[in-house]
Amino acid sequence: MSDQNDSEHAARLRRDALFSGASGKPLARLVGSLRTVEFAAGEVLCARNAAAKFLYLIESGELQLATPAGRVVALTDQRCGEEAASDMASYLCDVTAITPGRAIQIPREALAELAAADPSLRSRALLGLMGYVGGEPFLKPAASKRKPLLPLSPREIAGWTSVVIVPPAIYFLAGMAGLVVEAALFLAILSGTVLMWLFTLADEFIPPLIAIVAVLIVGLVPPDVALAGFSSRTLTTLLGVYALAAVIASSGLSYRFMLWLLIRLPDTPFWHQAALLLSGYILSPIMPSGNARLSLVLPFYKDMVEGLNLPAQSRAATALMAAAFSGTVLFSPMFLTSKSSNLMVFGMLPTQLQNQFQGAFWFVAAGVAALTVTAAHLLVTRLYFGAPTAGAPLPKPRLARQLALLGPMTGAEKAALIGFLFFLVGATTASLHQISPAWIAAFLLVGLLLLGLLSKQDFQQKIDWPMIFFLLSLDGLSRAITYLGLDTALAQGVGSAFDFVGGRMAVFIPVALAVTLMLRLVLPVTAGMVVAAVVLVPIAQAQFINPWVVVFLTAMFSDIWFMPYQSSQYLQVLGSGLGQYCRRAEFLLYNHWMNLARILAAYLSIPYWEWLGLV
């Protein structure tokens, strides 16, 4: 035996089709485990049914492979013992040396470590074995995983140029406007974040993280303000709900429920869409997060699309996505507890109004708007995606057989159902037992982990960590705005500019719309609504307009979005991979119609609010 130079080993590995795709750290670790062996004529390197301990790369000499069917293959400058790189515990073929030679010996343990980094290695090894048996080389060299460095596109050049130029300009302009240094610096950082979103220079969750780090490095706000989202109840709520959604999907409960639902519902697209729409509506008053509601509805959407055999990118699949999405979003302004920003702004109302709107009266006052957006959704879906008439009849007998084949509910399904009911009942009755839904979600998460329903791998892969970091980073930026007093400064700066409203509700609505939309261009939903309410409530009070109407309008208008980065729910759909089922262009056009529906809902509510004595 003799050792070869590591660079020669690496070159030999790269020449072989089995390892041609390996590079970097996995290849370096593999080279450290190699050794050169010499064999004599007649020596058996691999014996059928013996433990597959090594794979050999032949450097010189001739070997002969005999398959179980008796086929004999001559091996020269190839490899043998691919079983060691696959899931096979023993060799399937005999390999014997015809002449003396030399080979690189690779232990099974090193191959298993490489397969952990490149799972396709096992399947490629089996393809190599199939080539010997079938007489045809099935294994082809793997494509290189290294991505070539591409020149920046015009959009990226414009984006990075803006990121370099605009923030310093905003800093100097803010200083000239009389803002303190801390506020000017924060506006500069925030402008860079928005520009990275606008030009899509990085994944959506990266810019707010960069902004949080920059704020902490400069020392604009204390860490307990900038990182407040990561220590808030929002984190436990999101973790618990995402974990529950993962268990509902992986246990098969969502598939079983969807089969049961499709069998019992009338076989029309209208009822299929209505089931998803109403699911989101039911969750709205008990879950103050649209992302959390969507995470529970999306598994049902996926199983419904597959159960109905809807083609990807079809109008029917897109209409179902519109129903699932709108079910979790449209009712966000309709309940006090449907949106975390509703609860935040609720404290701005006078005590008398807080007592009046704390219960069901919030939904009563929003009744016309709720009916309007629901009717608009049904109308736009019908006109844009086509009349909800079924094509081929749904094979309900086949669905019944599929449901019967599932058998009784498994332990995992029962646990997922109990967990869902536990959270649903606990969140609904929070006013009675005074336990926050965040703590209920935390108990649920601990229970799922202790019962083994959510493994370590599931915890890493099935929880949407980028979305969680995105939402919590936005929460930190929102708190920083309040800490620096930017919301108050904005309210004082524009307060006298709206005297033309004159107490007329029809004039105030476009003012509220314009203020909210302008803020939402640079701020997330929560911060956009809060800052808009801070600006508009004093203006409304000066115009003798009920402050609750202002809060409701900002809650509804803050859900209007045009760019993907403005909607964390839409980013959640794309991040989950379910965006492949629907036509994005048509879905975005549907969303623009629903934006107009929210404005219409505000105007149609004026006579109703007058009847209630609110305006």
Side-chain angles (χ1 to χ4, degrees):
M1 298 184 183
S2 62
D3 293 330
Q4 285 187 327
N5 186 276
D6 287 346
S7 61
E8 295 178 0
H9 283 166
R12 176 64 181 87
L13 287 170
R14 290 194 181 97
R15 288 199 307 269
D16 194 280
L18 185 60
F19 301 102
S20 59
S23 62
K25 181 180 177 181
L27 182 63
R29 294 178 69 90
L30 183 62
V31 168
S33 304
L34 307 184
R35 66 170 183 159
T36 301
V37 296
E38 297 180 352
F39 50 83
E43 184 176 343
V44 178
L45 274 71
C46 304
R48 190 185 311 166
N49 297 326
K53 295 182 179 180
F54 301 103
L55 181 146
Y56 298 92
L57 298 180
I58 304 168
E59 293 189 299
S60 63
E62 183 178 346
L63 289 84
Q64 180 176 280
L65 180 144
T67 69
R71 175 183 174 82
V72 177
V73 181
L75 301 178
T76 304
D77 194 26
Q78 295 185 34
R79 85 194 74 78
C80 63
E82 285 92 337
E83 295 91 338
S86 70
D87 293 323
M88 301 294 178
S90 57
Y91 293 116
L92 301 179
C93 303
D94 292 316
V95 180
T96 307
I98 304 300
T99 64
R102 186 175 60 185
I104 298 176
Q105 185 186 71
I106 309 176
R108 186 184 186 93
E109 293 77 13
L111 293 167
E113 194 171 338
L114 179 62
D118 182 11
S120 65
L121 177 67
R122 292 188 172 92
S123 60
R124 297 205 305 273
L126 291 176
L127 285 176
L129 286 172
M130 289 174 59
Y132 299 143
V133 176
E136 180 180 348
F138 294 104
L139 182 61
K140 307 297 181 182
S144 176
K145 295 182 180 180
R146 294 183 177 180
K147 295 182 179 180
L149 294 176
L150 299 176
L152 294 177
S153 66
R155 171 186 56 80
E156 291 172 323
I157 293 175
W160 287 117
T161 303
S162 300
V163 170
V164 172
I165 296 175
V166 172
I170 287 182
Y171 171 75
F172 286 111
L173 290 175
M176 293 172 60
L179 290 180
V180 296
V181 174
E182 291 80 3
L185 278 173
F186 182 82
L187 288 178
I189 293 171
L190 186 61
S191 67
T193 303
V194 174
L195 288 170
M196 284 190 278
W197 277 331
L198 284 174
F199 290 96
T200 320
L201 301 179
D203 291 333
E204 286 77 7
F205 75 98
I206 296 177
L209 281 177
I210 295 175
I212 290 294
V213 173
V215 165
L216 290 174
I217 290 176
V218 179
L220 295 182
V221 299
D224 59 340
V225 174
L227 302 177
F230 295 89
S231 60
S232 67
R233 296 180 178 182
T234 304
L235 175 60
T236 54
T237 302
L238 291 174
L239 280 177
V241 173
Y242 276 125
L244 177 60
V247 172
I248 288 175
S250 62
S251 67
L253 178 64
S254 62
Y255 182 67
R256 180 187 295 273
F257 175 74
M258 200 49 57
L259 288 176
W260 179 87
L261 193 63
L262 291 177
I263 291 172
R264 284 158 178 78
L265 281 177
D267 184 18
T268 64
F270 172 82
W271 286 105
H272 303 154
Q273 297 165 22
L276 293 176
L277 184 72
L278 292 176
S279 297
Y281 280 7
I282 293 171
L283 292 172
S284 293
I286 62 175
M287 297 181 67
S289 169
N291 296 91
R293 295 193 293 269
L294 190 60
S295 68
L296 289 180
V297 175
L298 285 180
F300 297 106
Y301 165 78
K302 180 176 182 294
D303 287 332
M304 182 173 282
V305 169
E306 294 175 351
L308 293 170
N309 294 318
L310 299 180
Q313 305 292 316
S314 65
R315 285 200 165 189
T318 308
L320 273 181
M321 174 57 76
F325 186 89
S326 291
T328 59
V329 173
L330 287 183
F331 267 30
S332 292
M334 310 306 171
F335 296 95
L336 171 62
T337 55
S338 294
K339 212 174 185 181
S340 59
S341 50
N342 292 356
L343 297 169
M344 295 172 63
V345 179
F346 184 70
M348 297 170 53
L349 297 178
T351 304
Q352 181 181 355
L353 288 181
Q354 291 185 26
N355 295 332
Q356 182 181 6
F357 287 95
Q358 190 168 11
F361 190 66
W362 182 298
F363 180 68
V364 172
V368 169
L371 290 174
T372 302
V373 294
T374 302
H377 163 78
L378 297 176
L379 180 62
V380 172
T381 301
R382 181 183 180 89
L383 295 178
Y384 190 62
F385 298 113
T389 56
L394 190 66
K396 292 194 175 185
R398 189 198 71 191
L399 297 179
R401 289 193 297 271
Q402 288 179 272
L403 185 60
L405 287 174
L406 291 178
M409 290 182 65
T410 63
E413 288 178 288
K414 291 178 181 178
L417 179 59
I418 292 172
F420 178 78
L421 294 176
F422 170 76
F423 183 80
L424 190 66
V425 174
T428 305
T429 59
S431 59
L432 299 178
H433 51 66
Q434 299 299 315
I435 299 177
S436 169
W439 301 127
I440 297 174
F443 295 148
L444 179 61
L445 174 64
V446 172
L448 295 175
L449 292 172
L450 290 178
L451 291 175
L453 298 173
L454 198 69
S455 65
K456 177 181 178 181
Q457 186 177 9
D458 293 337
F459 193 73
Q460 293 173 334
Q461 299 179 356
K462 294 186 178 180
I463 293 180
D464 194 348
W465 291 105
M467 179 54 61
I468 289 178
F469 274 78
F470 175 78
L471 295 173
L472 299 182
S473 300
L474 294 183
D475 184 88
L477 292 178
S478 302
R479 294 172 188 265
I481 290 173
T482 303
Y483 179 86
L484 294 171
L486 291 174
D487 49 359
T488 305
L490 181 60
Q492 294 175 348
V494 301
S496 60
F498 296 104
D499 292 338
F500 66 90
V501 173
R504 293 169 293 178
M505 196 66 211
V507 179
F508 182 77
I509 287 177
V511 170
L513 176 67
V515 171
T516 306
L517 291 186
M518 285 190 293
L519 290 171
R520 284 284 286 115
L521 286 175
V522 297
L523 297 178
V525 173
T526 301
M529 176 187 168
V530 172
V531 176
V534 169
V535 172
L536 293 171
V537 165
I539 297 173
Q541 289 177 321
Q543 302 290 332
F544 303 101
I545 295 175
N546 192 302
W548 177 86
V549 174
V550 180
V551 170
F552 177 77
L553 290 176
T554 56
M556 189 163 58
F557 292 158
S558 63
D559 286 334
I560 294 177
W561 59 277
F562 304 96
M563 304 293 290
Y565 78 88
Q566 292 180 291
S567 173
S568 60
Q569 288 87 6
Y570 181 66
L571 296 179
Q572 182 177 351
V573 171
L574 299 183
S576 67
L578 296 180
Q580 61 180 328
Y581 287 99
C582 64
R583 300 179 185 177
R584 296 188 187 181
E586 292 188 356
F587 179 83
L588 292 175
L589 186 57
Y590 157 83
N591 176 70
H592 296 333
W593 282 109
M594 295 309 300
N595 290 340
L596 295 175
R598 291 180 172 93
I599 303 173
L600 177 63
Y603 276 101
L604 292 181
S605 296
I606 295 177
Y608 180 62
W609 289 336
E610 290 177 347
W611 180 71
L612 291 176
L614 298 179
V615 293

